[in-house]
Amino acid sequence: MTTFLIATGLALAVCLALEVLVGDAITRASLAPRDLGLRLTGYLLILLFWFEFSWRPWLAGLTCVITVAILIVVSRAKRSVIGEPLLFSDFALLPQVPRHPQLYYIPPLWDPRISVPVLLTLAATVLWYRTEPSVLPDSTLPRILALLGLPLLLWLMVKAAPRPPLSRLIARWFPSPDLEADVARVGLPASLLGYTARALAGGEPVPEAPTLPPGPGDDVVVVVQLESFIDPERLGGAALPAMELFRTRAAQYGRLQVPAHGAYTMRSEHAVLTGRPSESLGFGRYDPYTSRSGDEPTSLARLARARGYATLFLHPFHRDFFRRAKIMEAFGFADLVMGEAFAEAPRVGPYVGDVALGERLLAEVRARPTPLFLFCVTMENHGPWKPGRLPGLDDPQAQYLHHVANTGRMVEALVAGLDALARERRQTMTLCVFGDHAPSLPTCKPGFGGRTTEYALFRFGRASDTPRRVDIPADALGRALRGALAAAPADMSVRT
């Protein structure tokens, strides 16, 4: 016991020193008694997790220190790209890394930068394991009780954390999401564990489905989420003809305030599809798809289906990414056209090109009965921006500007195609395009442009509206789109 207490105390002291001196907090770390207690509890739980596998105090202590150091390094790297520290919801995305390594800057396991440190760590762990004696009791019964008791205790804590009475105590420690303040207050491990418990507990009120105004909506409503889309002139790039279309042909356009920078597509996607601001999601705001898995009464797809619309989700990537297939079915999409349908589609770089996706979108609109609600997510502009992505273009910004020009061509084709189809069929149609977040480029740092992208609403088959610029948040755009499903043109305005 003495050895365990000494090793644990030293490990916790080293972890504390790491976080206070080099941790990922943008303000001074708090050492108030309760905050310090929570911070040390976070370290202790990590140590006990590793201890149950070895029953060697010094090995567990060292592994705890290494774990905290890794969390700090990863969090600092993430902050430099995305502008926020490591989150509990990031761990839910870990299974995606080996399945889709091309989407991340993390080298594959066989890369020497990964494989060599992993192998050295494993070798050192095995050597230490064989050198340090175990502190397990020698007697059979106490040994069995120890081997079963510690894992059971940790498991019971995990199960109890989202449930009363422990959940009420955790809610007092973490009353509302305030990520930056909480990382500084209690440290990264404790905030990760506390936010996980709060997210699992849920409890945030879910709004009822809104009552749409009577009367028929547009015959076709198309919403296109443009991956990493901003006006390239904001980065010093060439003028995009599609942006001139926004200013001269759109009924409404402007800057779109989005909930993330450089990643977390699901935040903007959820906001537009549900019309719910991130503040209403509680601790589920960081990954809305893990909090309710698409079970949203305010979903545009559900509202459309209730009004007799066919609903289609179009996305040229794998069904399992973000669990999108299951999520979109829960959102209310009756039909999904995803990666397998684009096996022969032209690629631009590693992903299906936006121009080809736009052609498929127009073909789907022509082939399907109306009324139709179609939500499309593009892929060509998705990072990472690595050398070799495009022939002769290794500069990240040059790669992005090449791709975003294709996005502009797709938008132009959609505007022309839907306008012609509306005239041919004598139908009314709405097209909404919006960027999910700014690209994670060296020239586009977190906070770029007030964390805004671009959006536009086009309306076809009726008298032209005078274009107006209105800068809005993503959730307000989602609420505005409800008007296209069941209202006269004058009713399709931003509703906050």
Side-chain angles (χ1 to χ4, degrees), residues 31 38 46-47 79 95 135 137 178 198 228 236 280 284 301 306 418 440 451 453 474 485 496:
L31 295 179
L38 289 171
I46 293 175
L47 187 145
R79 183 189 292 281
V135 295
D178 192 353
R198 293 288 277 126
S228 301
S280 71
L418 292 175
S440 56
R451 206 164 66 180
T453 62
L485 299 175
T496 56

Side-chain angles (χ1 to χ4, degrees), residues 365-391:
V365 173
R366 292 189 187 98
R368 292 177 180 269
T370 56
L372 170 67
F373 174 72
L374 188 156
F375 189 84
C376 174
V377 177
T378 73
M379 198 66 192
E380 181 182 336
N381 286 354
H382 203 292
W385 314 100
K386 298 178 181 179
R389 176 184 176 118
L390 292 171

Side-chain angles (χ1 to χ4, degrees), residues 47-56 60 146-147 150-152 154-155:
L47 187 145
L48 291 175
F49 172 79
W50 291 118
F51 182 66
E52 68 176 322
F53 294 106
S54 69
W55 291 89
R56 287 156 172 80
L147 285 171
L150 181 56
L152 179 61
L154 294 175
W155 180 81

Side-chain angles (χ1 to χ4, degrees), residues 216-221 304-312 365 368-374 425 427-429 484-486:
D218 286 338
D219 297 288
V220 176
V221 179
R305 286 184 70 173
R307 297 302 298 258
Y309 281 74
T311 52
L312 169 64
V365 173
R368 292 177 180 269
T370 56
L372 170 67
F373 174 72
L374 188 156
R425 293 181 175 178
Q427 292 181 332
T428 56
M429 299 185 182
L485 299 175

